[in-house]
Amino acid sequence: MAFNRLLFIISLTVVLLGKNVDAQCTMNIDIPDNEKTSQPSKSRSSSKSSKGSKSTRGRLNLDNFASGCDDADEISIRSPHTLSTYKMKKHGKSPKSSKSGQTFEDKIYMFGDNENGSSMNLLRKPNGQIVGSITDLNEGTVMQISIDDDGGNIVDITSSDDFPPELEAFANPIRERAFLYEKPLYSMEKSNSTERRTNVEETFIIDVMVVWTQKAECAHAMKDVGCLVSSSTQEKMRDLIELAVHETNIAYETSGVNIQLELIYSYRSDYLEPSNNAYIQSVNDLRGKNDGKLDEVHTLRERYGADIVVMLLDDQAYCGIGESF
């Protein structure tokens, strides 16, 4: 998952030639002159952006990217420092609602990769806007595509070396043994109305609930701490979450793993992550019950039958941390 503030409780020119597309479909990434001198790469990176990572920021022009391009067979991506061609391997539509009844935008998702293992994941919104990520293994960079307040697309190009590390999961041998051996995740038990399947030839569905903080929402919207959240900033968080689920499912599928995540519910909590040691403390607050901190998570998890809870917070120290509870 590309968002570097994720707490994991379990974080140019583009030319498309496609089927039924008469003309070339083009997206242009415009890099400001003051950013061009410090392109991130395997060996160096540029100055810090408002997202917190060291990255180069550009703008994405979609004027020549028609809706018919959603069925493209190939996408050639040209940035100021590289040219790559991606063969599109998967197209589809995101679900309109979850098992909990929560509704989603009718997005188009696209996935492609190339011969050196680089990959591209895109979600196209009903209004034509794009969110996504491009991992360029040749250049050692990650391009994160998001939407600004004016409805335009921005691109942050970050060296892979500049993402923070992950924290080790909490060691708890008793809990791990119970989880792995005494109560397998995929049993014939029912979690609310969801029946778990045991046939190893089937794809196992893991229901995921996501909770995020106001600080995370402000940070992702490129606003100051304590910003006034709105339907616009909330929509950006939901775009980020749907993209992360899509990226994870593609990773499972291309790796031959018979697991798929299903987003069952997501919401913003009024929880305020601590300014120091946020990851460790937030994990403790998340798994604690009846302590007045994130207590609603346990109620909602039971109500919607979530197998996994993911929390997004604003902290630059690590990419994420895992724990069972």
Side-chain angles (χ1 to χ4, degrees):
M1 300 183 181
F3 185 52
N4 63 4
R5 299 179 179 87
L6 182 144
L7 174 59
F8 186 50
I9 311 302
I10 352 196
S11 157
L12 184 252
T13 301
V14 181
V15 180
L16 284 82
L17 301 175
K19 40 195 172 184
N20 302 321
V21 179
D22 296 328
Q24 290 183 339
C25 307
T26 305
M27 297 190 294
N28 296 295
I29 294 183
D30 301 317
I31 304 293
D33 290 338
N34 63 331
E35 296 274 3
K36 290 179 180 178
T37 58
S38 55
Q39 291 293 324
S41 66
K42 292 179 181 177
S43 59
R44 66 176 186 172
S45 60
S46 68
S47 59
K48 224 175 185 182
S49 77
S50 60
K51 275 197 156 188
S53 298
K54 298 175 181 178
S55 62
T56 297
R57 173 160 293 169
R59 299 197 68 85
L60 188 67
N61 187 323
L62 298 177
D63 290 346
N64 297 318
F65 192 83
S67 59
C69 300
D70 296 337
D71 290 329
D73 292 321
E74 290 187 352
I75 301 180
S76 293
I77 302 175
R78 186 189 303 277
S79 70
H81 57 291
T82 188
L83 172 66
S84 301
T85 298
Y86 293 79
K87 293 187 179 297
M88 304 310 294
K89 296 187 173 180
K90 194 174 184 67
H91 305 79
K93 289 187 176 182
S94 60
K96 294 184 178 180
S97 63
S98 70
K99 296 173 186 175
S100 69
Q102 194 168 46
T103 58
F104 308 123
E105 284 187 318
D106 191 14
K107 295 183 177 71
I108 301 293
Y109 65 81
M110 295 166 272
F111 164 74
D113 61 11
N114 63 18
E115 64 282 352
N116 69 11
S118 299
S119 61
M120 178 185 61
N121 288 279
L122 299 176
L123 288 180
R124 183 171 186 139
K125 296 161 65 69
N127 61 7
Q129 293 172 330
I130 295 285
V131 293
S133 65
I134 302 167
T135 302
D136 190 328
L137 297 185
N138 188 52
E139 291 293 318
T141 59
V142 176
M143 300 183 194
Q144 296 169 280
I145 304 171
S146 55
I147 303 169
D148 65 13
D149 285 342
D150 297 324
N153 278 111
I154 58 175
V155 182
D156 285 303
I157 307 173
T158 308
S159 169
S160 300
D161 294 334
D162 287 331
F163 286 95
E166 295 181 358
L167 271 172
E168 293 292 332
F170 287 125
N172 193 328
I174 295 177
R175 179 181 288 121
E176 289 174 2
R177 284 198 297 271
F179 181 75
L180 292 174
Y181 302 111
E182 295 175 18
K183 187 179 179 182
L185 177 62
Y186 304 114
S187 66
M188 289 303 292
E189 295 181 41
K190 288 187 177 181
S191 178
N192 286 356
S193 61
T194 305
E195 184 172 312
R196 301 290 167 224
R197 294 169 290 182
T198 56
N199 189 335
V200 293
E201 299 300 322
E202 295 186 60
T203 297
F204 296 121
I205 304 300
I206 299 180
D207 293 331
V208 180
M209 185 177 81
V210 180
V211 53
W212 73 86
T213 67
Q214 179 177 340
K215 283 183 66 178
E217 185 170 327
C218 291
H220 183 58
M222 294 165 285
K223 296 181 179 297
D224 294 333
V225 175
C227 77
L228 181 63
V229 293
S230 63
S231 59
S232 175
T233 59
Q234 179 175 271
E235 182 179 335
K236 292 173 185 176
M237 287 299 292
R238 295 196 186 281
D239 289 341
L240 173 70
I241 292 166
E242 289 184 52
L243 175 63
V245 171
H246 167 62
E247 290 172 330
T248 304
N249 285 338
I250 288 293
Y252 284 142
E253 185 175 336
T254 56
S255 300
V257 178
N258 293 333
I259 292 176
Q260 290 284 278
L261 302 185
E262 186 169 316
L263 179 60
I264 193 168
Y265 190 71
S266 62
Y267 75 101
R268 180 181 63 238
S269 171
D270 59 5
Y271 175 78
L272 180 63
E273 57 266 59
S275 56
N276 295 316
N277 204 22
Y279 274 91
I280 301 298
Q281 186 58 51
S282 295
V283 169
N284 290 331
D285 292 340
L286 185 63
R287 64 182 179 177
K289 296 182 178 180
N290 303 317
D291 59 1
K293 300 176 182 178
L294 294 165
D295 291 343
E296 81 282 356
V297 168
H298 301 277
T299 301
L300 293 172
R301 183 183 187 183
E302 289 295 324
R303 179 184 302 169
Y304 299 125
D307 302 305
I308 290 175
V309 175
V310 174
M311 184 175 183
L312 304 180
L313 53 79
D314 180 30
D315 188 287
Q316 302 301 310
Y318 300 99
C319 272
I321 185 173
E323 169 62 88
S324 60
F325 70 98

